[in-house]
Amino acid sequence: MTHTPCPIGHPTALALRLSEAALESSGWHTVAQALETEAGAGFALRFQAHGSGSLPAPDHRATRIVLSVPDLGTWTMDLPAGSGGALALAVPLREALALAMRLREGLPLSLAELEAVLDPLPYATMLLDGEAGLLFANAAGEDLLASRRLFLPSRPGAPLRPVQGQTDEALDAAVADILHRRDTGARWVARGPDGAHLVIHLQPVGPAHAERGAARILMTLRSIGAAETLG
């Protein structure tokens, strides 16, 4: 997945990078940079892979928070006295790391954690299960589905059915390739509900042996102008 350009040092930038890092299970060093910029002077954040050594003792005036996440390493935050803003930043980081772990491990996801981490994304983001049923659509995705101009109405858990026949065939082929052959994904262009063109991108998430109710496919739909700015 490509990342949305957004200036470091702005709350929106932090929300975007947390969300995209959770989906990608990477990009955490960029998140660390955004966190330190937002929190200001005196806030120290370190990221360590598991088994990479011990951390220095915290300053006696600082509060240390440690977040250890399987396969994602250990985050250590030293918060100076009275750093309420920095402490508030630790909460969305914890939520994003928890979602990244559950996606990677193929565990069922809760609506609350999905909304907290993925609703800040400005583009449609949807997660499908191992039967290609819709598990979750973020706020932008719900708006797109509500238009009924790109996808036909469907009951919760049912596979998405595009309005356009060409998109329908492309979606079926991409889903089958991911679920049965573990392909790296597919990308194509379709006309969106407002007449603009969208870049539709599907990619696998989670292990093939994911539990029922876990996500197996990530689908994003971006306006073609925004997508073209990304590498």
Side-chain angles (χ1 to χ4, degrees), residues 64-157:
R64 172 163 287 183
I65 295 177
V66 179
L67 301 175
S68 184
V69 183
D71 297 327
L72 295 179
T74 298
W75 289 75
T76 304
M77 288 168 276
D78 291 338
L79 310 179
S83 58
L87 183 59
L89 291 175
V91 175
L93 175 61
R94 187 188 299 270
E95 292 175 337
L97 287 167
L99 178 59
M101 183 197 71
R102 296 181 73 80
L103 285 170
R104 173 177 287 190
E105 296 297 315
L107 300 174
L109 306 165
S110 75
L111 179 62
E113 67 185 354
L114 287 166
E115 289 177 341
V117 180
L118 301 186
D119 274 354
L121 291 171
Y123 50 84
T125 302
M126 304 180 195
L127 291 169
L128 310 182
D129 62 21
E131 298 176 350
L134 179 65
L135 277 178
F136 175 78
N138 70 346
E142 290 283 3
D143 289 343
L144 187 147
L145 292 173
S147 73
R148 300 189 176 189
R149 294 179 181 175
L150 188 62
F151 294 100
L152 297 171
S154 63
R155 59 182 176 79

Side-chain angles (χ1 to χ4, degrees), residues 168-191:
D168 196 6
E169 294 174 3
L171 181 62
D172 284 345
V175 166
D177 284 345
I178 290 174
L179 292 180
H180 302 302
R181 303 184 184 91
R182 295 299 295 173
D183 279 10
T184 57
R187 189 190 302 260
W188 69 96
V189 176
R191 186 175 294 277

Side-chain angles (χ1 to χ4, degrees), residues 11-25:
T12 302
L14 175 59
L16 286 173
R17 288 186 166 89
L18 280 168
S19 302
E20 291 181 328
L23 290 172
E24 192 81 356
S25 285

